[in-house]
Amino acid sequence: MLARSSPDRRRRAPAGAVAAPLIAALSFASLACAPAPARAPSRDPAPLRSLRIPDADLDRGPRTVSTAEALRDLDDARYAFEQAYAGLDGRSPSPSPRAIARAEGALRGRAAWRPEELARLLRDLFGAPDGHLAFGHGGRAPLRSTAAPRRPSGPAPRRFACAPSRARPRASPRASPRAAAAAVAPLPGLPRWAAPPRRPGHGPPVELTRGRDGVPVLAIRTFDSAAAAALAALPALAAELRRAPAFVVDLRGNAGGDYRFAERFALALTDAPLCALDEREVISVAAAEGRANSVRRRLARGDVPEAARPRFVEHLAALERLAGALRARPSSAMPRADLTTRGAVVRGQAAGPLEGRAVFLVDRGCASACEMLLALVRQIPGALVAGQNTRGGMSVGEVALFRLPRSGVTLSLGTRAFRDPLGDFAELRGFEPDVRLDGADPVGDAAALARRGWPASAPRRGARASCARR
């Protein structure tokens, strides 16, 4: 999940509610923040740029630019990475001055640059093993080129692909609300047992069915805030399922979204204390504007259900207030701070421990907030992960969108970094399953696994997981 950006993956309060405390905290950033990216020394701080995408340009097509224009767009890209990209732990969020100089030299070697060529150069310059990082452009023939060089292990590595992607057909404004409302209709209490699950990623956001021998199978196909009405039922479903002797949670094809829905589901399964993910969040004008750009484009494209629009509009207003408040700080204040949370513990909300056996069925479609859910449930005694490796797109999230004003090339980068508390996750590789399922009926195999118990070779992660492992 590139995972699609969501209004918010945070467990904390919305952006508007925390703007004032965050701004005050920046005065003491050296006490609570990770170091800001290295910058060349200067007597006065450089003026803050605006990276807000004009409404008319949110999905405008790109154009070929001159060398001078390409150089200016490169400088804007450098600024966006320096000011907004969380980056992977242990890596600088922006390239070295020497690498920037080499790219500038390459740009000067040609009189004109087509947008796909410029996107490829930027990808090669700023690329990192980050499943969310991407470059491209909008318009009639949109392009999205991922920056991840390749997966370190697992299935065949993903190759660079800098070819136009298929344009998604847009629903008309009249038809969209009706179709979207049907997709996120609130569940009337606990849903009744339905037909067998559909293909991964297809069907309603949340669907409860019976699998082999009557084993409950809960399919969670997204954590996108656009499906908030359906996802709100997850804690109640967890409270029912945790008392069953065996059940399956089918997460195949779940590309992520708002982590809060995932966390609430995990905490409703157990009363045990769980290690929270370590987090590092970029606080800057650029990061707030980039996240706001992501929300504004989703709203402009009409891919937000009418019932969910107020939630998106409210979050957009909070991000824009935060950007304005940060911009209004004294010019001597640091333009970026990285707020870090490590070693936090969250306690389960259930009345007791998980009573039965739970199998979480995953594949390469499980990414971002879906993988963050696994980082928690793998600590719960009685939970097992089965299927295939997950995608490996969790380390840098809460995606911001930027558009270089001259060429129209877009940058999608994460403004928050996460770390698996048990240290078993690898970006691009993902989580490896405790039990690999390769058969034609993975749901049935997962149900049989939940019913009969763990194979002797399967690790019992929940039984040995502890925050002391940090």
Side-chain angles (χ1 to χ4, degrees):
M1 171 195 230
L2 166 68
R4 298 197 313 182
S5 66
S6 65
D8 195 6
R9 287 193 177 95
R10 288 178 284 187
R11 292 192 302 272
R12 297 189 290 278
V18 298
L22 285 175
I23 295 168
L26 295 180
S27 301
F28 306 97
S30 61
L31 299 179
C33 302
R39 298 179 180 83
S42 61
R43 294 182 179 178
D44 300 310
L48 296 175
R49 308 181 192 182
S50 175
L51 298 180
R52 185 183 190 276
I53 303 175
D55 291 344
D57 293 342
L58 282 169
D59 213 14
R60 186 188 295 274
R63 70 180 187 90
T64 299
V65 293
S66 66
T67 298
E69 291 173 314
L71 285 167
R72 293 178 67 187
D73 271 1
L74 170 60
D75 190 58
D76 279 344
R78 176 203 58 78
Y79 181 83
F81 271 82
E82 182 181 89
Q83 295 298 322
Y85 183 43
L88 299 165
D89 285 341
R91 296 174 64 109
S92 172
S94 56
S96 67
R98 179 177 298 181
I100 293 286
R102 285 197 300 266
E104 290 173 340
L107 290 176
R108 292 189 181 97
R110 296 171 55 176
W113 285 83
R114 293 184 298 172
E116 61 271 18
E117 296 169 334
L118 183 57
R120 185 181 298 112
L121 181 143
L122 296 175
R123 181 203 63 192
D124 292 344
L125 174 62
F126 294 98
D130 174 356
H132 279 126
L133 186 59
F135 303 80
H137 58 70
R140 294 183 177 180
L143 169 75
R144 183 175 181 274
S145 178
T146 58
R150 65 183 203 172
R151 297 184 177 98
S153 64
R158 176 186 302 170
R159 297 180 178 178
F160 283 129
C162 206
S165 60
R166 283 184 169 180
R168 287 185 308 165
R170 298 185 192 175
S172 66
R174 293 182 180 178
S176 178
R178 179 183 301 175
V184 298
L187 297 175
L190 296 179
R192 296 180 180 178
W193 302 112
R198 307 168 189 175
R199 289 183 299 159
H202 294 263
V206 178
E207 185 176 26
L208 184 60
T209 65
R210 284 196 184 276
R212 184 181 297 174
D213 294 338
V215 174
V217 177
L218 176 66
I220 307 176
R221 299 185 172 94
T222 184
F223 289 114
D224 194 325
S225 292
L231 295 171
L234 288 179
L237 290 169
E240 289 295 314
L241 290 173
R242 60 178 295 274
R243 291 193 289 268
F247 64 92
V248 174
V249 179
D250 186 357
L251 297 171
R252 294 173 301 156
N254 186 324
D258 190 332
Y259 171 56
R260 292 175 298 180
F261 294 115
E263 183 185 59
R264 290 166 187 164
F265 177 70
L267 297 182
L269 290 172
T270 182
D271 64 345
L274 305 177
C275 309
L277 285 84
D278 291 340
E279 302 180 17
R280 179 168 46 80
E281 179 179 8
V282 178
I283 305 297
S284 69
V285 174
E289 287 183 340
R291 293 196 294 260
N293 288 337
S294 295
V295 179
R296 289 169 53 239
R297 186 171 68 167
R298 288 197 66 182
L299 289 168
R301 285 181 166 183
D303 62 357
V304 176
E306 195 64 32
R309 285 185 67 87
R311 177 186 179 90
F312 279 70
V313 170
E314 179 183 1
H315 183 64
L316 174 59
L319 287 170
E320 291 180 334
R321 286 195 301 269
L322 175 59
L326 291 171
R327 188 177 291 280
R329 290 180 297 154
S331 59
S332 60
M334 67 171 59
R336 164 179 170 156
D338 287 29
L339 302 183
T340 302
T341 302
R342 293 193 180 98
V345 177
V346 290
R347 178 168 287 279
Q349 303 298 313
L354 181 65
E355 297 179 14
R357 292 185 293 270
V359 171
F360 287 78
L361 180 60
V362 298
D363 64 0
R364 276 292 185 191
C366 174
S368 195
C370 179
E371 293 173 308
M372 296 168 79
L373 170 63
L374 295 181
L376 294 181
V377 300
R378 290 169 75 255
Q379 304 174 49
I380 300 176
L384 190 77
V385 179
Q388 309 296 322
N389 278 45
T390 60
R391 183 182 304 173
M394 183 187 80
S395 295
V396 189
E398 192 150 358
V399 174
L401 172 70
F402 301 102
R403 184 181 188 273
L404 303 179
R406 299 154 198 90
S407 64
V409 170
T410 56
L411 320 172
S412 298
L413 53 88
T415 60
R416 297 183 73 209
F418 302 95
R419 190 179 74 86
D420 169 34
L422 302 184
D424 296 327
F425 176 86
E427 188 74 359
L428 306 187
R429 184 204 69 191
F431 282 111
E432 294 182 343
D434 301 323
V435 177
R436 192 167 293 275
L437 300 178
D438 297 309
D441 181 16
V443 174
D445 293 343
L449 186 63
R451 190 178 65 255
R452 68 173 180 261
W454 305 163
S457 59
R460 298 173 183 263
R461 298 186 186 278
R464 60 180 175 84
S466 167
C467 292
R469 289 186 60 192
R470 292 174 180 267

